[in-house]
Amino acid sequence: MSIIKLARPEIQALSAYKAAAQVDDTVRLNANESPQDTSIGNFRRPLNRYPEVRPRRLQEALAARFGCATDQLLVTRGSSEAIDLIIRTFCRAGRDNVVIPSPSFSMYAHYAEVQGAEIKEVPALAERDFHIDVDALLDACNEATKLVFICSPNNPTGTPILRDDVLRLIQQRSETSAVVVDEAYIEFGDQASMIDLLDEFPNLLVLRTLSKALGFAGARCGAVAGSEDVISMLNAVQAPYALATPVVECVEDVLQADQLALAEESVREVVAERERLIAAIDEFEFVRKVWPSDANFFLMRVTDPAFILQHCIAHKVLLRHFDGDLSDCIRITVGSRADNNRLLQALRTMVEK
Ligand SMILES: Cc1ncc(COP(=O)(O)O)c(C=O)c1O
């Protein structure tokens, strides 16, 4: 069953923006562009012209990479934009809600707040190593729950969410909510993507990004994959010409085989460094617990987070701290071997003081 009917009624009725036609070998006097070729840098396409409304070749390449049909994927400005688009498409301000395990990536709640949707957070307890509680998530859902967000591996805990747990959510909410599985960090772990389930479950949406394993956070490129009808609805909501020409060309280049091989090598190094760093950090007395991670970061519980953070800042190393239930925890992103050694050195000088 299509979940289009769950979207805001005005979005269900919305048509995609009708942009000026772009046809090869024609004189383009239909888009109020400048006739002057302003091309700077080495771009293949002229910068005085608008980019494609949606970058079709990029869409094809990313769909092939992530394993879905081209029309099951929308290219977005980072997966952050996809989160925003999905919430704006499905949630009516003041009426609908989103269900989110906590702790998880804060952007889901942020964009829900921007849209005026209610946020229902369901604890994923540290004592259970932050695994989601499917029954509690289902209990939190009601008829106004349009979206359930699952981040796997989860940010900021690094926890891979069990496929069977996500499947149960998708199945139990099949007629009533979309389940958004955010796979931003999937390349750093062993779990398979859930994108292969798109044909089976029309209420599944999968987020991917080029910001992490592929190393292109600066290019702002990600994607949302889902059933064709939902993707076409999100397409109508997204701004026309969302992906700029320099970004499109840069990402097309990244998707060449030699670049992908470099990215894969970098992921292997990060995973090896993650395990080395976790082992070294676990030895410090101020560390009470380090959680295993399937991502390019890990979370640790420490005795005096404020002191550690300040000491590291003094050594020009930035770590991430959170409020609330994680206030005694610090998240460490795995850097290069040299970066990680610098962190370890800073921590050694702290305990030697
Ligand atoms: C879980 C998760 N999803 C999505 C994003 C957004 O990534 P981007 O917008 O760069 O694709 C992040 C960024 O840190 C993240 O941690």
Side-chain angles (χ1 to χ4, degrees):
M1 187 219 64
S2 168
I3 55 159
I4 285 221
K5 65 173 175 41
L6 300 177
R8 289 167 47 204
E10 54 275 35
I11 302 294
Q12 292 179 44
L14 187 71
S15 313
Y17 174 76
K18 288 191 181 48
Q22 297 174 336
V23 181
D24 286 346
D25 294 329
T26 52
V27 177
R28 269 163 71 163
L29 302 179
N30 62 346
N32 299 349
E33 298 158 331
S34 165
Q36 190 192 353
D37 186 348
T38 47
S39 294
I40 40 169
N42 292 321
F43 301 111
R44 295 183 286 279
R45 298 157 174 96
L47 287 187
N48 57 318
R49 300 294 174 191
Y50 280 99
E52 279 178 279
V53 177
R54 298 286 172 255
R56 186 70 187 175
R57 263 176 46 202
L58 193 55
Q59 191 181 340
E60 286 166 0
L62 288 177
R65 176 167 175 78
F66 297 142
C68 63
T70 305
D71 290 332
Q72 288 179 318
L73 183 125
L74 182 70
V75 185
T76 54
R77 287 167 286 193
S79 44
S80 311
E81 187 196 19
I83 297 166
D84 181 31
L85 285 178
I86 293 166
I87 293 176
R88 279 195 287 137
T89 297
F90 283 95
C91 295
R92 294 165 302 175
R95 294 173 72 177
D96 295 324
N97 69 63
V98 303
V99 168
I100 310 172
S102 174
S104 194
F105 184 44
S106 57
M107 286 257 186
Y108 313 138
H110 174 84
Y111 281 123
E113 214 165 313
V114 170
Q115 179 63 8
E118 187 195 348
I119 299 154
K120 292 181 151 209
E121 290 189 317
V122 176
L125 301 176
E127 298 76 63
R128 295 185 41 184
D129 284 340
F130 300 111
H131 283 290
I132 58 169
D133 182 339
V134 179
D135 291 323
L137 286 164
L138 289 170
D139 284 349
C141 291
N142 60 20
E143 66 290 346
T145 302
K146 294 300 175 67
L147 303 169
V148 180
F149 280 94
I150 299 295
C151 184
S152 182
N154 186 39
N155 180 9
T157 59
T159 325
I161 307 301
L162 301 177
R163 194 177 169 96
D164 282 351
D165 281 354
V166 185
L167 266 177
R168 194 145 79 82
L169 280 170
I170 296 171
Q171 283 164 335
Q172 294 286 317
R173 298 298 300 172
S174 64
E175 307 277 316
T176 38
S177 308
V179 176
V180 184
V181 182
D182 185 345
E183 299 184 337
Y185 300 97
I186 193 149
E187 292 93 337
F188 299 99
D190 299 327
Q191 278 203 328
S193 168
M194 301 203 76
I195 236 166
D196 60 318
L197 298 174
L198 288 183
D199 290 332
E200 208 175 327
F201 299 108
N203 66 327
L204 169 65
L205 289 168
V206 178
L207 305 181
R208 299 293 296 257
T209 180
L210 277 67
S211 298
K212 311 296 177 183
L214 280 169
F216 270 80
R220 309 307 302 127
C221 185
V224 47
S227 67
E228 270 181 43
D229 51 3
V230 174
I231 291 300
S232 120
M233 207 164 52
L234 295 172
N235 174 53
V237 176
Q238 190 187 35
Y241 315 115
L243 276 288
T245 296
V247 172
V248 171
E249 297 202 352
C250 157
V251 178
E252 282 172 354
D253 293 345
V254 176
L255 295 173
Q256 299 304 309
D258 46 349
Q259 285 297 320
L260 290 177
L262 286 177
E264 276 167 26
E265 179 55 27
S266 161
V267 167
R268 277 193 292 275
E269 280 168 19
V270 166
V271 169
E273 276 296 295
R274 178 185 72 206
E275 297 311 313
R276 178 178 82 92
L277 204 49
I278 287 180
I281 288 223
D282 218 5
E283 296 291 308
F284 288 108
E285 230 165 70
F286 61 81
V287 175
R288 289 164 51 206
K289 174 145 181 119
V290 185
W291 280 275
S293 169
D294 264 25
N296 65 342
F297 55 82
F298 59 90
L299 191 73
M300 62 178 184
R301 178 178 277 153
V302 293
T303 48
D304 190 348
F307 181 73
I308 296 167
L309 291 161
Q310 272 316 312
H311 177 86
C312 286
I313 287 174
H315 284 75
K316 298 196 184 301
V317 178
L318 302 181
L319 305 178
R320 187 72 185 258
H321 184 237
F322 301 91
D323 298 328
D325 292 344
L326 294 184
S327 61
D328 58 353
C329 293
I330 291 176
R331 190 192 68 190
I332 297 179
T333 301
V334 180
S336 66
R337 195 173 174 84
D339 296 340
N340 302 333
N341 285 341
R342 181 143 169 196
L343 167 66
L344 290 173
Q345 187 53 34
L347 295 175
R348 282 187 199 111
T349 61
M350 186 181 80
V351 290
E352 280 158 13
K353 260 189 185 168

